[in-house]
Amino acid sequence: MATNQEEVKLLGDVRSPFVLRVQIALDLKGIQYKFLEENLPNKSELLLRHNPVHKKVPVLVHNENPISESLVILEYIDDTWKQNPILPSHPYQRALARFWSKFIDDKIVPAAWKAVFAVDEKEREKNVEESYEVLQFLENELKNDKFFGGEDLGFVDIAAVFIAFWLPIFQEIGGFQLFTSEKFPKLYKWSQHFVNHPVVKQNLPSRDLLVAFYKSCYQIVFG
Amino acid sequence: MATNQEEVKLLGDVRSPFVLRVQIALDLKGIQYKFLEENLPNKSELLLRHNPVHKKVPVLVHNENPISESLVILEYIDDTWKQNPILPSHPYQRALARFWSKFIDDKIVPAAWKAVFAVDEKEREKNVEESYEVLQFLENELKNDKFFGGEDLGFVDIAAVFIAFWLPIFQEIGGFQLFTSEKFPKLYKWSQHFVNHPVVKQNLPSRDLLVAFYKSCYQIVFG
């Protein structure tokens, strides 16, 4: 628990799934923190100083120590505050959690992004198909548990927030059917459990805000 | 230490810097393992079964449990065998080690790769410049210590094996000057300490083999 001696700040933007990962993890641990909303077209001096390499949110600042990259931040949170662990305790299960979280960042997010922001319908079809293929790997990973981590929300669940909340918005904007209960029954069911978990629910940004924002991105690109 | 009950196998290819990371980590821990050389144009049934997602080496198989992605494997090795830790013990130092290792994979390796396999000289110049910029971040991270981890070889050092051993070969093949003692005095000095560390030295593949292999890749692309 953050004591009076501790200062925890999060530089973020509520429209970012990577920022939401950190918000969920901090809340699961019961850590009080100050959320500093960045205006990304006009980055703060604080952001540039704390993340000179990528100049991106999220940045967690714990007692003046800045940490960037959302999965690195999740590891830090779990290393620092031991209550309600988000990584499993067994090394092999930890490795699997890290593997799938990396897979989400390396394969699923870029594929879905390309599916929305495709230059034409042919390109979109190809990218939707590619997204379908990579999502299928994750579908197969879900057993009959509520979450990837079993009965409790864990590392992979938090990493997968993009799939549960952003992907449905992306397909609405892009006008394609990808992440549906017919195509991904287990993953879809997981997403419902996920967005209704009390800690997730209280941190989700407004759906309308996201739709409006990403629609405007889309329109700027495609007119 | 691997006991009689334990079986550790590594599916690899000695020309891969990602495989070498795992070899160095296992040797630092004193873990005996069986190296199974893959013939990548004709992947083994074992590789396809153990890494169905990426179908790539390295794959570590510990008591029948397969683990892929070299940085995930390094974490697993450190979680499983506690002797000679490769990650620092303090959470913030651990976060920094993870951040820089990810930076190497996300920024440095792709930039250097594009510098060698550029379509023309103009493209090469641009990519060499980009590689220079990202390497500069790492140069600035090295203090006056022998290794990134201080006096002992650690996680970032192992992750950076590509820079110490592959990058000099790449620039020789591509005919450009990037990683020199003038441009990167600290990083260059580090690379000399690194390749002369006994555990690294005994695991390095033949330089001639690498030059011949990557030169043939280069010639196939550029004639």
Side-chain angles (χ1 to χ4, degrees):
Chain A
M1 196 69 68
T3 66
N4 287 340
Q5 283 77 50
E6 292 199 290
E7 193 192 28
V8 183
K9 290 182 288 197
L10 175 61
L11 281 64
D13 183 313
V14 294
R15 295 165 300 189
S16 158
F18 306 105
V19 171
L20 183 54
R21 285 175 174 173
V22 181
Q23 295 175 282
I24 293 170
L26 287 170
D27 262 16
L28 275 176
K29 298 278 185 178
I31 304 302
Q32 302 263 317
Y33 65 97
K34 194 169 170 183
F35 189 89
L36 302 174
E37 182 82 24
E38 276 293 319
N39 175 15
L40 291 180
N42 186 15
K43 291 169 184 175
S44 73
E45 185 273 328
L46 202 64
L47 176 60
L48 299 176
R49 180 154 52 87
H50 282 327
N51 189 2
V53 176
H54 302 295
K55 306 177 180 73
K56 289 196 302 191
V57 291
V59 178
L60 184 75
V61 190
H62 182 206
N63 296 335
E64 297 302 314
N65 286 328
I67 306 132
S68 306
E69 297 281 5
S70 63
L71 295 183
V72 174
I73 298 174
L74 294 190
E75 296 259 8
Y76 176 81
I77 289 172
D78 217 30
D79 273 349
T80 302
W81 297 287
K82 302 294 185 190
Q83 65 275 24
N84 305 328
I86 53 180
L87 272 168
S89 58
H90 189 278
Y92 186 58
Q93 299 305 322
R94 293 165 77 83
L96 291 180
R98 290 178 174 128
F99 175 85
W100 288 112
S101 304
K102 184 171 164 47
F103 180 75
I104 290 167
D105 280 4
D106 291 353
K107 300 291 178 185
I108 293 179
V109 175
W113 189 265
K114 287 193 297 171
V116 189
F117 297 104
V119 289
D120 57 34
E121 276 310 309
K122 205 180 145 197
E123 189 68 20
R124 187 193 309 283
E125 252 175 54
K126 185 175 143 276
N127 297 341
V128 169
E129 178 60 30
E130 189 186 321
S131 304
Y132 177 83
E133 281 167 22
V134 288
L135 279 169
Q136 198 63 56
F137 281 113
L138 214 58
E139 169 82 5
N140 296 340
E141 265 311 290
L142 269 171
K143 313 302 169 208
N144 287 320
D145 294 324
K146 208 165 163 185
F147 297 112
F148 283 96
E151 277 309 293
D152 296 315
L153 208 65
F155 202 84
V156 180
D157 302 292
I158 299 172
V161 62
F162 170 83
I163 297 167
F165 201 66
W166 270 257
L167 189 52
I169 292 172
F170 274 27
Q171 69 184 4
E172 181 183 320
I173 293 172
F176 55 87
Q177 291 278 308
L178 168 65
F179 184 46
T180 63
S181 59
E182 292 76 33
K183 287 177 180 158
F184 296 100
K186 286 190 287 178
L187 205 50
Y188 190 84
K189 198 169 152 200
W190 162 83
S191 76
Q192 298 308 304
H193 285 306
F194 180 79
V195 296
N196 285 301
H197 185 289
V199 167
V200 175
K201 206 169 183 171
Q202 75 193 11
N203 278 294
L204 286 179
S206 142
R207 196 178 194 282
D208 291 347
L209 176 91
L210 293 191
V211 171
F213 172 68
Y214 287 103
K215 206 174 251 177
S216 72
C217 297
Y218 183 82
Q219 284 163 347
I220 284 165
V221 177
F222 300 105
Chain B
M1 195 70 67
T3 66
N4 287 339
Q5 282 77 52
E6 293 201 289
E7 193 192 28
V8 183
K9 290 182 288 195
L10 174 61
L11 281 64
D13 182 313
V14 293
R15 296 166 299 190
S16 157
F18 306 105
V19 171
L20 183 54
R21 285 176 174 172
V22 181
Q23 294 176 282
I24 293 170
L26 287 171
D27 263 16
L28 275 176
K29 299 279 184 177
I31 304 302
Q32 303 262 316
Y33 64 97
K34 194 169 171 185
F35 188 90
L36 303 173
E37 182 82 25
E38 275 293 318
N39 175 15
L40 292 179
N42 186 14
K43 290 169 184 173
S44 73
E45 184 272 328
L46 201 65
L47 176 60
L48 299 176
R49 178 154 53 86
H50 282 328
N51 189 1
V53 175
H54 302 296
K55 305 178 180 70
K56 288 196 300 190
V57 292
V59 178
L60 184 76
V61 190
H62 182 206
N63 297 335
E64 298 301 314
N65 287 328
I67 306 131
S68 305
E69 298 281 3
S70 63
L71 295 182
V72 174
I73 297 173
L74 293 191
E75 296 260 8
Y76 176 81
I77 289 172
D78 217 30
D79 273 349
T80 302
W81 296 288
K82 302 293 186 190
Q83 65 274 25
N84 304 328
I86 54 179
L87 272 168
S89 59
H90 189 278
Y92 187 58
Q93 299 305 322
R94 293 165 76 84
L96 291 180
R98 288 175 175 131
F99 175 85
W100 288 113
S101 304
K102 183 170 164 48
F103 180 75
I104 290 166
D105 279 5
D106 291 353
K107 301 291 176 184
I108 294 180
V109 175
W113 189 265
K114 285 193 299 171
V116 189
F117 297 104
V119 289
D120 56 35
E121 276 311 307
K122 205 180 144 195
E123 187 69 20
R124 186 192 309 285
E125 254 175 54
K126 188 177 141 272
N127 297 341
V128 169
E129 178 60 31
E130 190 187 320
S131 304
Y132 176 84
E133 281 168 21
V134 289
L135 279 168
Q136 198 63 56
F137 282 113
L138 214 58
E139 170 82 4
N140 296 341
E141 265 310 291
L142 269 170
K143 312 305 169 206
N144 287 320
D145 295 324
K146 208 166 164 185
F147 297 112
F148 283 96
E151 277 309 294
D152 297 314
L153 207 66
F155 201 84
V156 180
D157 302 292
I158 300 172
V161 63
F162 170 83
I163 298 166
F165 201 66
W166 271 256
L167 188 51
I169 293 172
F170 274 28
Q171 68 185 6
E172 181 183 322
I173 293 172
F176 55 88
Q177 292 278 308
L178 167 65
F179 183 47
T180 64
S181 59
E182 292 76 34
K183 288 178 180 160
F184 297 100
K186 288 190 286 179
L187 204 50
Y188 190 85
K189 200 169 151 200
W190 162 83
S191 75
Q192 299 307 304
H193 285 306
F194 180 79
V195 296
N196 286 300
H197 186 289
V199 166
V200 175
K201 207 169 182 170
Q202 74 192 13
N203 278 293
L204 285 179
S206 143
R207 196 180 193 282
D208 291 348
L209 175 92
L210 292 191
V211 171
F213 171 68
Y214 287 105
K215 205 172 252 178
S216 72
C217 297
Y218 182 81
Q219 285 164 346
I220 284 165
V221 178
F222 301 105

